[in-house]
């Protein structure tokens, strides 16, 4: 089975902290994605990557950055955490090709609370 | 206008009944359609996808696609309490667009 692992299930951080969310997949997938999920707003795409060292902005990139130094790892960085970034963060991956060719495999999610 | 619209529910059905979940989308260029199930506090898991007009069946689940009317639906036959979850519809264009989900409760 494809496995997408997110390093933390729950995180509590203080306003202004720099926060790193890690995602690792073990199936040699080229495409990786970061979403946040909020009640009533659904899943919103923050950033995605189709290859190592490559990144593209999604719909809500403000306040976030990403890093993909290795194919299997895609990190989401909150440069200066704010309370409006309290959310469930989901990482997903797919093999090379159009996202519609495959369904996403999601990680287990990280519930981040910024206080 | 949202790309994908779902009735948020909650939808309640008795055990053994058919649950019907609906989704409409705005972009006629959409080619691939997915249904995900999400239990409370968990991440979404893929349960079905459909590319062509008509019905696609997988066990107790049937996905229906009507591209002319721009809707996709999911039927769950013989609903079980374990089917109680939020169901997300997703449409693939250059990226996935998700609906906000329909909450389903199956009452024993």
């Amino acid at each position: 089975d494809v496995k997408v692992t997110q390093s933390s299930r729950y995180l509590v951080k203080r306003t202004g902290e720099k926060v790193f969310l890690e995602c690792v997949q073990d199936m040699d997938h080229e495409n990786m994605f970061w979403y946040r999920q909020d009640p009533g707003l659904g899943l919103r795409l923050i950033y995605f990557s189709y290859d190592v060292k490559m990144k593209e902005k999604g719909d809500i990139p403000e306040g976030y950055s990403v890093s993909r130094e290795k194919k299997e790892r895609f990190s989401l960085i909150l440069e200066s955490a704010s309370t409006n970034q309290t959310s469930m963060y989901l990482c997903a991956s797919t093999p090379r090709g159009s996202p519609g060719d495959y369904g996403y495999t999601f990680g287990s999610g990280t519930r981040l609370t910024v206080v | 206008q949202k790309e994908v619209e779902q009735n948020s529910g909650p939808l309640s059905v008795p055990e053994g009944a058919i649950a019907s979940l609906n989704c409409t989308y705005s972009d006629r260029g959409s080619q691939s359609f997915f249904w995900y199930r999400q239990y409370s506090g968990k991440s979404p898991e893929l349960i079905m996808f459909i590319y062509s007009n008509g019905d696609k069946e997988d066990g107790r689940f049937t996905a229906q696609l009507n591209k002319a009317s721009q809707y996709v639906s999911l039927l769950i036959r013989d609903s079980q309490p374990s089917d109680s979850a939020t169901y997300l519809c997703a449409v693939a264009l250059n990226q996935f667009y998700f609906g906000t989900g329909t909450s389903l409760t199956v009452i024993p």
Side-chain angles (χ1 to χ4, degrees), chain B residues 5 8 10 14-15 34 39 70 91 93 95 97 99 102-103 107:
Chain B
E5 300 266 9
S8 62
E15 184 174 354
F34 298 78
Y39 292 113
Q70 295 177 245
V91 171
L93 290 162
Q95 59 164 292
Y97 293 91
T102 299
S103 174
I107 303 166

Side-chain angles (χ1 to χ4, degrees), chain B residues 1-24:
Chain B
Q1 183 184 1
K2 287 187 178 179
E3 297 284 347
V4 181
E5 300 266 9
Q6 289 182 260
N7 187 329
S8 62
L11 174 67
S12 295
V13 299
E15 184 174 354
I18 296 175
S20 177
L21 306 161
N22 300 310
C23 171
T24 59

Side-chain angles (χ1 to χ4, degrees), chain A residues 48-103:
Chain A
F48 59 98
S49 170
Y50 289 152
D51 206 345
V52 176
K53 304 250 186 218
M54 176 270 180
K55 59 185 178 184
E56 293 285 345
K57 293 180 179 178
D59 298 321
I60 52 163
E62 296 78 18
Y64 302 94
S65 62
V66 291
S67 172
R68 193 161 182 204
E69 296 296 319
K70 293 185 178 181
K71 189 176 185 179
E72 66 270 19
R73 185 181 297 270
F74 191 34
S75 302
L76 180 69
I77 303 156
L78 285 67
E79 298 292 343
S80 177
S82 63
T83 54
N84 63 13
Q85 291 178 310
T86 292
S87 186
M88 168 73 97
Y89 289 87
L90 291 161
C91 176
S93 73
T94 66
R96 184 181 300 281
S98 168
D101 294 338
Y102 312 93

Side-chain angles (χ1 to χ4, degrees), chain B residues 4-101:
Chain B
V4 181
E5 300 266 9
Q6 289 182 260
N7 187 329
S8 62
L11 174 67
S12 295
V13 299
E15 184 174 354
I18 296 175
S20 177
L21 306 161
N22 300 310
C23 171
T24 59
Y25 60 94
S26 60
D27 194 319
R28 288 191 175 275
S30 305
Q31 296 294 323
S32 313
F33 307 86
F34 298 78
W35 282 100
Y36 285 83
R37 177 176 61 201
Q38 186 173 24
Y39 292 113
S40 180
K42 303 293 187 182
S43 62
E45 56 178 324
L46 179 66
I47 53 173
M48 288 210 66
F49 60 89
I50 186 166
Y51 300 144
S52 304
N53 271 331
D55 295 358
K56 179 181 178 182
E57 190 173 314
D58 183 0
R60 295 187 297 112
F61 298 95
T62 299
Q64 299 175 318
L65 174 60
N66 184 322
K67 288 188 177 181
S69 300
Q70 295 177 245
Y71 82 77
V72 57
S73 61
L74 179 70
L75 301 179
I76 307 174
R77 290 183 301 281
D78 188 24
S79 295
Q80 301 296 309
S82 59
D83 294 327
S84 298
T86 296
Y87 290 80
L88 303 175
C89 172
V91 171
L93 290 162
N94 58 331
Q95 59 164 292
F96 273 86
Y97 293 91
F98 288 85
T100 53

